[in-house]
C-alpha cells in the first residue's frame, strides 16, 4: 500500500489538512451532494494524473471541475453563453454540470483530451469549504474504482480507495445519491448528456428547448464518438449480474419467484407484495428521489450479501427517474426482461 488512508470527520481542521494535501499535489476524497468525489488541483496535470491512477480510469474519460465562486468560471471556461449564466443562476450551487470550451489553464488530462470541460459548483458545505481553502478549482470524478458503483458514503470510498489516497473527508451520506446532471448547449437549446437530480422539467424553466442525448437511454458503441465519453464505459456494476424486469408489480413477483435461484436478490420500489415471500429484497423506496438516493448503496450491498443475480424493477423515465434508469440500465449492461 502506497498510502495509509486516513478517514476524518469533516471539520475546519480536517478541511485545512485536505487543502494542504491538495496544494502539495495530492488527491483527497470529499463528500458532495451527488456522490463522493476524488479531488485534486484541476490546473495541475501531475495531481490529476494521480486521480486517473487511483481510479484506474480510462484517459479519455474527462473529469468535472468544481468551483465555489462564479468568478472562478472564467479561469476554467473560455466562452460562457447567456444560457449557461441563466443555468448557473437557477441551479448553482447544485448538481448541474455544464460542458463549455476550456481555457488553456485546464490541462488536456483534466478534460480527457477534449477542448471542452465540465464545470459544476457543488452545494455540499465541505466541498465548498475545501475548494475555498485549496484556492484552486478541483477536478473531481466519483471516488469509486472505475466501473464499480459510485460511493455515497465515506465507507464506500474507503472500500475502493484504501491505500490509494492519503485522506477521505467524511461528510455523511450523499443527499442525491446519483452523479450530477451533465448538459451542453446548442444555440437556444440545452442538451442533457447525463441525467441527474436537476431534471429536464427543471431545465425547461431556463429554455423551453431541452433535448436528451440518445446515449442517455441507449447503449453506445465503443467505436462511436460520443458527446459524453463516460457513457460508453461499463459503469456502476456490482459483481452480481443485474437484470431489469419491466412489468407490473404482480408480473415482477411471478417472474422472480419462478426464475429466482439461491443467490437471487431483488431491488424493489415499495413492498409490492414481495414482503410475504422468502425472496431477499432491498427496497429502494417509492419515489424516484428515494430510489436515486438508495441505488448505489443497494448495488454495493447486493455484493456484500453475495448475490449472484439481481432482479430490479424498471424505474420510471420521468423526473429523477430518468437518472435512476440511466444508472440501472448500465449496471444491467442493458439487459431488460420485458413481461
Ligand atoms: P464522473 O466524474 O465520474 O461523474 O464522470 C464525469 C462525466 O461527465 C464523464 O464521464 C462525462 O460523461 C461527463 N463529462 C465531463 N466532462 C465532459 C466534457 N468535456 N464533455 C462531455 N462530457 C463530459
Ligand atoms: Mg463516475
Amino acid at each position: 500500500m502506497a498510502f495509509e488512508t486516513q478517514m476524518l470527520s469533516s471539520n475546519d481542521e480536517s478541511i485545512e489538512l485536505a487543502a494542504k494535501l491538495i496544494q502539495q499535489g495530492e488527491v483527497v476524497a470529499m463528500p458532495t451532494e451527488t456522490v463522493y468525489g476524488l479531488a485534486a488541483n484541476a490546473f495541475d496535470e501531475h495531481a490529476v494524473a494521480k486521480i486517473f491512477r487511483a481510479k484506474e480510469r480510462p484517459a479519455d474519460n474527462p473529469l468535472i471541475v468544481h468551483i465555489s465562486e462564479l468568478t472562478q468560471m472564467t479561469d476554467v471556461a473560455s466562452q460562457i453563453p447567456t444560457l449557461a449564466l441563466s443555468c448557473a443562476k437557477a441551479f448553482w450551487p447544485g448538481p448541474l454540470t455544464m460542458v463549455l470550451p476550456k481555457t488553456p489553464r485546464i490541462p488536456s488530462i483534466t478534460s480527457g483530451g477534449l477542448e471542452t470541460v465540465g464545470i459544476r459548483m457543488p452545494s455540499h458545505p465541505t466541498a465548498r469549504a475545501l475548494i475555498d481553502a485549496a484556492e484552486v478549482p478541483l477536478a473531481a470524478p466519483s471516488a469509486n474504482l472505475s466501473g464499480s458503483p459510485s460511493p455515497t458514503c465515506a465507507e464506500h470510498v474507503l472500500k475502493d480507495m484504501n491505500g490509494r489516497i492519503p485522506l477521505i473527508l467524511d461528510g455523511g451520506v450523499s443527499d442525491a445519491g446519483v452523479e450530477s446532471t451533465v448538459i451542453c448547449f446548442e444555440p437556444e437549446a440545452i442538451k442533457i448528456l447525463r441525467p441527474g437530480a436537476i431534471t429536464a422539467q427543471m431545465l425547461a424553466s431556463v429554455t423551453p428547448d431541452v433535448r436528451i442525448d440518445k446515449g442517455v437511454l441507449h447503449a453506445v458503441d465503443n467505436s462511436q464518438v460520443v458527446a459524453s465519453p463516460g457513457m460508453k464505459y461499463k459503469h456502476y456494476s456490482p459483481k452480481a449480474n443485474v437484470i431489469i424486469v419491466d412489468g407490473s408489480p404482480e408480473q415482477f413477483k411471478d417472474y422472480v419467484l419462478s426464475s429466482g435461484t439461491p443467490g437471487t436478490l431483488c431491488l424493489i420500489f415499495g413492498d409490492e407484495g414481495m414482503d410475504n415471500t422468502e425472496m431477499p429484497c432491498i427496497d429502494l423506496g417509492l419515489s424516484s428521489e428515494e430510489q436515486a438516493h438508495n441505488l448505489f448503496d443497494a448495488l454495493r450491498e447486493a455484493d456484500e450479501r453475495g448475490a449472484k443475480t439481481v432482479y430490479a424493477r424498471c424505474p420510471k423515465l420521468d423526473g429523477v427517474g430518468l437518472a435512476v434508469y440511466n444508472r440501472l440500465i448500465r449496471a444491467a449492461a442493458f439487459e431488460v426482461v420485458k413481461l
Side-chain angles (χ1 to χ4, degrees):
M1 281 204 306
F3 286 105
E4 202 56 63
T5 301
Q6 254 192 304
M7 190 156 90
L8 297 175
S9 266
S10 162
N11 55 38
D12 291 350
E13 212 179 313
S14 59
I15 290 171
E16 205 46 54
L17 173 64
K20 279 216 180 73
L21 286 165
I22 283 173
Q23 285 168 346
Q24 290 162 7
E26 285 305 333
V27 175
V28 303
M30 66 173 179
T32 86
E33 71 279 18
T34 58
V35 299
Y36 273 67
L38 271 191
N41 178 353
F43 296 141
D44 178 346
E45 60 183 348
H46 299 292
V48 171
K50 291 180 185 174
I51 297 180
F52 280 89
R53 278 204 295 278
K55 276 183 67 80
E56 300 177 23
R57 182 170 172 111
D60 66 348
N61 194 358
L63 309 184
I64 292 169
V65 175
H66 295 69
I67 58 174
S68 57
E69 300 288 341
L70 264 187
T71 49
Q72 290 173 306
M73 220 177 157
T74 48
D75 297 331
V76 179
S78 60
Q79 286 163 44
I80 305 168
T82 316
L83 260 186
L85 287 177
S86 307
C87 285
K89 202 165 160 216
F91 303 112
W92 279 1
L96 181 72
T97 297
M98 302 191 231
V99 173
L100 295 170
K102 74 173 191 72
T103 61
R105 286 192 76 184
I106 295 294
S108 172
I109 186 168
T110 301
S111 65
L114 299 172
E115 284 309 311
T116 55
V117 61
I119 312 178
R120 169 167 117 78
M121 188 190 288
S123 63
H124 195 292
T126 300
R128 294 174 65 77
L130 182 58
I131 302 165
D132 286 344
E135 298 180 317
V136 283
L138 300 181
S142 52
N144 52 291
L145 283 173
S146 202
S148 71
S150 298
T152 54
C153 63
E155 289 73 23
H156 292 167
V157 181
L158 187 64
K159 195 126 209 219
D160 280 17
M161 290 296 143
N162 197 12
R164 292 171 183 254
I165 58 170
L167 178 63
I168 300 167
L169 290 179
D170 184 352
V173 175
S174 294
D175 193 22
V178 288
E179 306 86 342
S180 58
T181 304
V182 179
I183 59 171
C184 65
F185 299 95
E186 297 180 342
E188 302 310 313
I190 291 174
K191 184 148 96 178
I192 297 179
L193 303 178
R194 178 178 74 183
I198 304 293
T199 62
Q201 291 83 340
M202 290 159 81
L203 290 164
S205 68
V206 174
T207 175
D209 194 350
V210 179
R211 303 166 190 184
I212 296 177
D213 190 88
K214 65 178 188 317
V216 166
L217 290 172
H218 305 286
V220 286
D221 178 333
N222 263 6
S223 60
Q224 272 172 270
V225 176
V226 291
S228 184
M231 292 194 296
K232 73 183 176 189
Y233 291 107
K234 177 170 176 278
H235 240 71
Y236 319 119
S237 311
K239 292 185 190 73
N241 184 31
V242 181
I243 299 163
I244 296 180
V245 180
D246 186 4
S248 68
E250 294 71 34
Q251 288 172 317
F252 179 86
K253 180 176 166 184
D254 290 346
Y255 181 83
V256 300
L257 290 181
S258 61
S259 315
T261 52
T264 298
L265 183 144
C266 294
L267 298 186
I268 59 171
F269 304 154
D271 75 41
E272 295 173 327
M274 297 295 294
D275 53 346
N276 49 18
T277 71
E278 299 282 291
M279 182 64 77
C281 291
I282 301 175
D283 184 1
L284 299 185
L286 272 178
S287 72
S288 296
E289 286 75 12
E290 285 174 276
Q291 292 161 18
H293 181 81
N294 293 324
L295 176 65
F296 288 137
D297 186 59
L299 291 175
R300 284 177 179 260
E301 190 185 328
D303 275 349
E304 261 155 39
R305 286 165 68 167
K308 299 278 175 287
T309 305
V310 173
Y311 289 120
R313 292 269 285 128
C314 188
K316 288 192 246 153
L317 293 190
D318 61 339
V320 180
L322 187 65
V324 179
Y325 181 83
N326 172 269
R327 306 309 190 276
L328 200 50
I329 193 91
R330 282 171 169 76
F334 292 88
E335 195 176 349
V336 181
V337 174
K338 274 202 188 301
L339 300 176

